[in-house]
């Protein structure tokens, strides 16, 4: 995995936020306390107390958590607390507290009803545009209106890519391969059925994988990854030679991150 054309290191990881599928929140703390604690320990030291408090209030407002600001988070077993959708939005706010450039989410809509899932995805779309954050998430059963919110789409079949590109071009791509989406069908379900081979069989499923590998997008992506891997290997070798010749200079800082962060990996994220 590369960030801004370089391998991940301690300096670049702080520009990435990760929201796991299972919320990791202290049930005895309030929503505001959880976000404030994340901001206190993860923001750079030059942020003042007032600036951190202002950021926490802004996140609570942006993520529509104002009505549960002072409510205990609770859990599903012992302590009553906020709802599942509010808990998920709180987890997102905790990660956004350190102002990441990239936000990764593992199945954020799991456990939510269709309305809650759509509201969450709509919120993520708004945050991506307003806060200039690249949002990537995995999702298994999006509704048709959720599917329409995606900018880019990555479809995997047994861990291998069968499509990566603009969401609006996915159906035309599969149509050109002889698989047309039937009318009144959820396009997300149609694409997932193709990826699993449920409707087309194992032979056609493998053919989809082989066809994608021959597309210009796949070739360009592989060339980029190969080039970056070579550059990283060469840089690591130079660094080792430098350390042998000047051992006291081995503790240099990693490269910085520019204003427009890019996340590049062999299998790009979904959104």
């Amino acid at each position: 995995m590369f960030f801004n054309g370089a391998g991940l290191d301690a300096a670049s990881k702080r520009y990435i936020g990760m929201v796991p599928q299972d919320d990791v929140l202290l049930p005895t703390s309030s929503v505001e306390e959880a976000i404030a604690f994340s901001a206190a320990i993860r923001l750079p030291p030059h942020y003042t107390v007032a600036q951190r408090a202002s950021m926490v209030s802004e996140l609570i407002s942006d993520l529509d958590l104002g009505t549960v600001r002072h409510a205990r988070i609770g859990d599903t077993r012992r302590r009553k607390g906020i709802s599942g959708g509010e808990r998920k939005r709180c987890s997102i706010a905790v990660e956004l507290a350190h102002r990441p450039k990239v936000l990764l989410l593992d199945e954020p809509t799991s456990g939510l009803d269709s309305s809650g899932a759509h509201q969450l995805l709509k919120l993520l779309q708004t945050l991506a545009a307003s806060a200039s954050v690249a949002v990537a998430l995995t999702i298994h059963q999006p509704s048709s209106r959720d599917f329409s919110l995606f900018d880019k789409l990555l479809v995997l079949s047994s861990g291998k890519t069968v499509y990566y590109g603009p969401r609006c071009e996915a159906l035309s791509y599969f149509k050109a391969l002889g698989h047309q989406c039937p009318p009144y069908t959820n396009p997300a379900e149609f694409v997932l059925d193709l990826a699993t081979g449920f409707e087309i069989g194992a032979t056609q499923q493998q053919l989809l994988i082989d066809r994608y590998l021959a597309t210009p997008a796949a070739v360009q992506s592989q060339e980029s990854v190969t080039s970056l891997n070579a550059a990283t290997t060469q840089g690591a070798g130079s660094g080792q030679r430098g350390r042998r010749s000047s051992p006291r200079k081995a503790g240099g800082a990693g490269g910085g991150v520019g204003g427009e962060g890019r996340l590049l990996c062999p299998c790009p994220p979904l959104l």
Side-chain angles (χ1 to χ4, degrees):
M1 183 177 290
F2 298 91
F3 187 81
N4 266 14
L8 289 177
D9 55 18
S12 59
K13 285 181 180 179
R14 69 187 183 94
Y15 291 95
I16 301 175
M18 174 65 194
V19 180
Q21 180 177 355
D22 297 324
D23 301 317
V24 185
L25 299 169
L26 189 64
T28 55
S29 66
S30 68
V31 170
E32 184 177 21
E33 289 170 344
I35 302 173
F37 181 75
S38 177
I41 65 174
R42 301 173 75 179
L43 283 174
H46 67 266
Y47 278 82
T48 65
V49 174
Q51 287 175 325
R52 291 174 183 171
S54 175
M55 184 183 302
V56 170
S57 296
E58 182 180 346
L59 285 172
I60 290 175
S61 175
D62 290 343
L63 290 162
D64 195 21
L65 293 169
T67 57
V68 294
R69 179 174 191 147
H70 302 294
R72 298 297 174 187
I73 294 174
D75 56 36
T76 57
R77 295 181 181 179
R78 292 167 293 180
R79 301 179 182 87
K80 292 184 179 180
I82 59 180
S83 68
E86 291 165 341
R87 189 178 294 111
K88 183 63 68 175
R89 296 201 301 272
C90 183
S91 295
I92 295 173
V94 166
E95 285 302 312
L96 290 175
H98 72 289
R99 294 181 177 254
K101 296 296 184 183
V102 178
L103 183 63
L104 308 176
L105 303 98
D106 182 19
E107 299 184 32
T109 59
S110 295
L112 303 180
D113 56 27
S114 59
S115 177
H118 182 70
Q119 290 176 9
L120 179 63
L121 293 177
K122 190 70 176 177
L123 178 64
L124 289 172
Q125 183 189 50
T126 302
L127 286 173
S130 61
S132 298
V133 178
V135 178
L137 59 90
T138 58
I139 191 169
H140 287 294
Q141 293 178 316
S143 65
S144 56
R145 62 175 182 171
D146 293 341
F147 186 77
S148 66
L149 296 177
F150 300 157
D151 295 321
K152 289 188 177 181
L153 184 70
L154 169 69
V155 183
L156 296 177
S157 176
S158 301
K160 298 179 181 179
T161 304
V162 297
Y163 177 78
Y164 176 66
R167 183 268 311 162
C168 58
E169 298 178 5
L171 294 184
S172 60
Y173 171 80
F174 289 114
K175 181 180 179 180
L177 298 180
H179 305 287
Q180 184 171 2
C181 181
Y184 311 111
T185 300
N186 182 351
E189 293 180 356
F190 169 74
V191 170
L192 287 176
D193 285 345
L194 291 179
T196 58
F198 179 72
E199 295 286 349
I200 60 176
T203 302
Q204 287 293 321
Q205 180 186 15
Q206 182 60 45
L207 184 60
L208 289 178
I209 298 173
D210 297 337
R211 288 288 183 87
Y212 175 76
L213 292 176
T215 61
V219 174
Q220 182 180 4
S221 177
Q222 187 57 48
E223 289 176 350
S224 299
V225 172
T226 302
S227 176
L228 288 170
N229 278 328
T232 302
T233 303
Q234 183 179 1
S238 301
Q240 291 176 356
R241 291 193 296 272
R243 284 194 291 271
R244 287 195 294 268
S245 61
S246 180
R248 292 188 179 183
K249 296 182 179 179
V257 178
E260 297 182 359
R262 293 185 298 110
L263 181 67
L264 176 62
C265 53
C267 292
L270 177 65
L271 183 62

